[in-house]
Amino acid sequence: MGDGRVSAVGGGLLLAGVALAAANMRPAVTSLSSILGGVRESLGASATWASMLTSVPTLCFGVAGISAPVLARRWGMQRVVGVALGLLTAAMVVRVTGAATTVLAGTVVACAAIAMCNVLIPVVVKESFPNRVGMATGLYTTAMAAGGSAGSAFTPWLRAELGGWRLALATWAVLALAAFAVWVPASRGHGSNTAPSAPGSSAESGRSLLRSPLAWAVTGYFGLQSLVAYVIMGWLPEVFKSAGTSASTAGALVGLVLLIGVPVSMVLPPLVTRTEGQSAWTVGLAATAITGFLGVLVAPLAAPLLWSLLIGVGMSAFPLALVLISLRTRNAAETSRLSGMAQSVGYLIASTGPFLFGMLHTVTGSWQASLLVLIGVLTAQGLLGVFAGRPRTV
């Protein structure tokens, strides 16, 4: 009985480590985007620099989808995640100590560290909590949404209270340090450090997922919803500020967009898994986001809270995409392969979004063309979702 209690305590500590790690998956991005205009002006940086900065997260995530399994097979998943959290802590401090190039380089390192966790922690969850995958995944996605919302909502306030953007951004390193401090002791003795399969590789007695139209539909759906999400986190504060809101109000509105994901991440996965197909869910979420962005396009200040609410609900395509990866596969090996493919290729697709969104604004001088293209991407996301949501497996 004693060993059982120790195991329970250790499992609880690991679950806390998972939650803290997940809470760090977005603040490095959303904290910077919420005050991006002020940071750019302070550093005298160009619009191209800002567009590159917003593209860094998804580009890093795509590369990590390929490299994370390789590193995990050599060093072990828990160790790689621990090192990644340590690097994240250091990068979030270092990036605020220099000029524009330092901010960009520090953000690259921070996002690469986040990307490693993004790929490996879900596998740790499956391995360490095989009988509580739903609960642990719900905790993971909820903590991720809460962290992203906090980064966007509180950073403008922190900048005002602390007297500058550097200390405001560096404050979020405390959250990363807490995750590192909990993860290191919590991960010892848990799991076999088995790494996920390489993206698209063939499992035993299985064909390559690269030949599966369904696998590509799921990957495309994952990629397009990620593209939309990182455009929102990278540029929506600037869109609201251009419409006439203050920096603090714009940050709060995007914080609301991300905060909506907290309750939705709790209730959506169980609801989705109870339906035979998920096509209606994918279309409904895309249509909701489109409605919100049409509001931002036509009358941004008429009902910004409503537009933010609708966009936030539409962003719940992320937990739906994770559910689709599980539902469209027959076993854990296929799930790991499809997850690797969806994250590596999907995030590389997504990396084009923030850069092009910002560059369209630079070329046209307004956000209208960028928003129209984003609405087109959401339409394509919904159409891909119809195919990916049909009840069958790869």
Side-chain angles (χ1 to χ4, degrees):
M1 179 175 287
D3 291 343
R5 280 194 294 268
V6 171
S7 178
V9 170
L13 188 62
L14 182 60
L15 203 57
V18 167
L20 280 170
N24 280 280
M25 295 302 97
R26 286 178 174 172
V29 178
T30 60
S31 61
L32 181 55
S33 67
S34 67
I35 55 173
L36 180 59
V39 173
R40 178 188 163 195
E41 290 175 9
S42 172
L43 296 172
S46 66
T48 302
W49 174 87
S51 295
M52 290 175 60
L53 197 66
T54 57
S55 300
V56 161
T58 48
L59 187 59
C60 287
F61 294 164
V63 173
I66 300 170
S67 60
V70 176
L71 293 175
R73 278 194 293 272
R74 180 169 184 177
W75 302 108
M77 285 189 297
Q78 284 85 351
R79 187 175 300 168
V80 172
V81 171
V83 171
L85 290 173
L87 281 175
L88 174 62
T89 303
M92 291 182 72
V93 174
V94 171
R95 74 172 178 172
V96 303
T97 61
T101 53
T102 304
V103 175
L104 182 59
T107 302
V108 169
V109 175
C111 289
I114 291 170
M116 293 294 167
C117 299
N118 209 35
V119 172
L120 297 177
I121 288 179
V123 185
V124 173
V125 166
K126 288 184 180 181
E127 182 181 78
S128 301
F129 306 100
N131 298 321
R132 294 183 289 168
V133 171
M135 178 275 295
T137 301
L139 178 66
Y140 174 82
T141 55
T142 300
M144 183 185 295
S149 176
S152 180
F154 291 118
T155 303
W157 175 80
L158 285 170
R159 180 180 61 176
E161 292 296 315
L162 298 176
W165 63 267
R166 296 182 189 272
L167 283 177
L169 292 180
T171 300
W172 295 102
V174 176
L175 183 62
L177 180 61
F180 174 77
V182 172
W183 182 268
V184 171
S187 62
R188 290 173 182 165
H190 284 275
S192 61
N193 276 328
T194 303
S197 302
S201 62
S202 296
E204 292 183 14
S205 69
R207 66 191 181 98
S208 171
L209 294 182
L210 298 177
R211 300 177 182 176
S212 168
L214 176 56
W216 279 109
V218 172
T219 297
Y221 183 80
F222 188 96
L224 293 185
Q225 65 82 27
S226 296
L227 185 155
V228 173
Y230 282 91
V231 165
I232 290 170
M233 288 186 282
W235 287 114
L236 193 55
E238 294 299 309
V239 174
F240 277 126
K241 281 189 283 185
S242 295
T245 68
S246 66
S248 58
T249 300
L253 287 170
V254 178
L256 174 63
V257 169
L258 301 174
L259 186 63
I260 298 301
V262 175
V264 174
S265 293
M266 294 180 187
V267 301
L268 184 64
L271 289 176
V272 168
T273 54
R274 291 173 188 167
T275 58
E276 183 178 359
Q278 291 72 44
S279 297
W281 289 99
T282 63
V283 172
L285 291 178
T288 302
I290 288 172
T291 303
F293 277 112
L294 283 172
V296 173
L297 176 66
V298 176
L301 299 182
L305 286 175
L306 176 59
W307 309 148
S308 298
L309 178 65
L310 291 170
I311 293 170
V313 172
M315 273 189 70
S316 300
F318 174 68
L320 177 56
L322 294 181
V323 170
L324 286 176
I325 290 172
S326 296
L327 293 180
R328 298 288 85 87
T329 51
R330 290 166 290 190
N331 51 55
E334 283 188 350
T335 300
S336 177
R337 292 164 55 216
L338 183 56
S339 178
M341 176 178 173
Q343 292 202 47
S344 59
V345 179
Y347 279 128
L348 288 175
I349 293 171
S351 68
T352 63
F355 181 80
L356 292 177
F357 191 87
M359 291 307 296
L360 265 178
H361 172 258
T362 301
V363 172
T364 63
S366 73
W367 294 108
Q368 275 71 21
S370 300
L371 289 169
L372 285 171
V373 170
L374 194 64
I375 289 170
V377 170
L378 281 163
T379 303
Q381 175 189 312
L383 293 174
L384 273 175
V386 171
F387 186 76
R390 292 172 184 169
R392 63 206 189 287
T393 57
V394 295

